[in-house]
């Protein structure tokens, strides 16, 4: 949408009219993809265009889920337990959003969460030595899972393809 609006504005078309009512670029054709008004299978296929599920992002989401339950496994207490719970939920959220190719760079936010997991046992109280070690290992694992891009789909985004890193 952003790319379309920039190109459309450059050719002198009104920005807000194009934003709210739509428009077409010269030489563009009709989209042959099934829309949301077709059968359920077509709707699901249309809604998942540009979405891939790399094992690294699934692993990151699993790490986040693990952190949300680490309080039960290690008996940690606040503030360390609260940190693990909150960071775990954020990791799952970022991993799921990064499954969309245009949002794939968001996975690097999980690198920052991994660094926090490595540092948190020394900055927060409430964790036993075993829980502290698990936090460091979990942080390293999360960083390793957040670096690879994963496979691309057949979808392309014009000149913005270079931003899908």
């Amino acid at each position: 949408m952003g790319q379309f609006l920039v190109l459309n504005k450059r050719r002198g078309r009104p920005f807000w009219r194009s934003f709210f009512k739509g428009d077409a670029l010269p030489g563009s054709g009709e989209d042959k993809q099934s829309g949301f008004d077709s059968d359920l299978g077509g709707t699901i296929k249309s809604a998942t265009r540009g979405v891939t599920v790399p094992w690294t992002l699934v692993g990151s989401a699993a790490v986040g889920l693990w952190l949300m339950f680490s309080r039960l496994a290690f008996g940690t207490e606040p503030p360390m337990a609260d940190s693990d719970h909150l960071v775990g939920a954020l990791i799952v959220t970022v991993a799921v959003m990064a499954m969309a190719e245009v949002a794939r760079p968001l996975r690097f936010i999980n690198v920052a969460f991994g660094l926090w997991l490595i540092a948190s046992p020394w900055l927060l109280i409430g964790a036993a030595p075993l829980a502290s070690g698990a936090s460091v290992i979990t942080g390293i694992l999360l960083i390793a899972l957040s670096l690879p891009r994963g496979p691309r789909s057949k979808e392309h985004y014009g000149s913005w393809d270079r931003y899908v890193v």
Side-chain angles (χ1 to χ4, degrees):
M1 178 72 180
Q3 186 177 22
F4 164 75
L5 288 172
V6 167
L7 292 173
N8 213 27
K9 182 68 178 154
R10 284 184 185 157
R11 48 184 280 256
R13 308 289 288 182
F15 178 84
W16 290 112
R17 182 185 172 280
S18 300
F19 182 82
F20 286 113
K21 293 189 173 189
D23 203 349
L25 293 173
S28 60
E30 184 178 339
D31 187 5
K32 303 293 184 198
Q33 300 284 339
S34 60
F36 289 110
D37 56 344
S38 63
D39 63 288
L40 179 62
T43 300
I44 292 171
K45 185 176 179 180
S46 184
T48 57
R49 285 173 55 189
V51 176
T52 57
V53 186
W55 70 269
T56 53
L57 291 176
V58 172
S60 294
V63 165
L65 284 172
W66 158 249
L67 283 168
M68 293 174 71
F69 292 101
S70 66
R71 171 187 304 211
L72 301 173
F74 295 117
T76 55
E77 307 230 349
M80 184 67 174
D82 296 339
S83 172
D84 285 349
H85 190 83
L86 176 64
V87 170
L90 291 170
I91 289 168
V92 171
T93 302
V94 168
V96 170
M97 288 189 314
M99 290 178 188
E101 287 182 350
V102 294
R104 192 63 48 88
L106 290 176
R107 74 186 189 281
F108 295 123
I109 294 172
N110 278 345
V111 172
F113 290 140
L115 293 172
W116 169 251
L117 290 171
I118 292 169
S120 63
W122 288 275
L123 300 173
L124 301 175
I125 59 172
L130 183 61
S132 297
S135 181
V136 170
I137 291 169
T138 302
I140 293 168
L141 178 62
L142 182 63
I143 291 169
L145 288 170
S146 298
L147 295 178
R149 178 182 66 196
R152 293 278 312 264
S153 72
K154 296 177 203 166
E155 300 294 328
H156 293 285
Y157 312 98
S159 63
W160 289 8
D161 263 351
R162 66 179 176 254
Y163 299 117
V164 181
V165 292

